[in-house]
Amino acid sequence: MSRYKKHIFICINKRESSLNKKSCSDAGFQIRTKFVEELRKNNLTHEVRANKSGCLGGCSFGPVIVIYPDQIWYKNVKLEDVSEIVNETIINHKILDRLLFK
């Protein structure tokens, strides 16, 4: 039996600036912190876990998050999207098409 009903994986991959490729890094850390705050605010910390993740293979579309077990992938997530993701996707089970990583 799983302890959590859902896991939100937030990419925090950081590439060397010399590679000239985007990475989720600092924005990913801030987004994860915001998810933790929102989950706490909504009393969901016992059901949903916000995890740091290595590269999810979409940094060029980043920051990227994935919600399991629903297999919902969101791209270009911003801090201001986190509350909406928690309210709409986590609580109300609605997919946000504008963020969907297809």
Side-chain angles (χ1 to χ4, degrees):
M1 187 155 108
S2 176
R3 180 173 172 198
Y4 297 103
K5 293 180 181 177
K6 294 185 187 282
H7 289 267
I8 306 166
F9 293 97
I10 302 109
C11 178
I12 59 163
N13 183 53
K14 182 172 179 91
R15 290 191 172 103
E16 292 181 35
S17 57
S18 64
L19 295 177
N20 292 325
K21 290 184 178 180
K22 288 175 72 175
S23 65
C24 299
S25 65
D26 294 335
F29 275 108
Q30 293 171 359
I31 288 166
R32 183 192 175 266
T33 299
K34 182 72 172 167
F35 266 112
V36 170
E37 291 169 5
E38 288 294 320
L39 295 172
R40 190 173 294 131
K41 184 172 97 175
N42 287 281
N43 197 30
L44 292 170
T45 56
H46 60 289
E47 293 181 22
V48 182
R49 172 116 176 135
N51 296 85
K52 295 176 274 189
S53 169
C55 185
L56 293 169
C59 286
S60 60
F61 302 100
V64 173
I65 71 160
V66 63
I67 302 167
Y68 278 101
D70 305 320
Q71 298 183 40
I72 299 169
W73 289 69
Y74 286 148
K75 63 177 170 51
N76 199 28
V77 175
K78 297 179 177 39
L79 278 175
E80 54 268 19
D81 297 322
V82 173
S83 179
E84 183 181 13
I85 293 169
V86 170
N87 288 319
E88 295 300 321
T89 304
I90 301 299
I91 295 172
N92 293 312
H93 311 286
K94 295 179 182 173
I95 292 177
L96 303 174
D97 288 327
R98 67 181 173 77
L99 295 174
L100 202 56
F101 191 173
K102 299 177 184 174

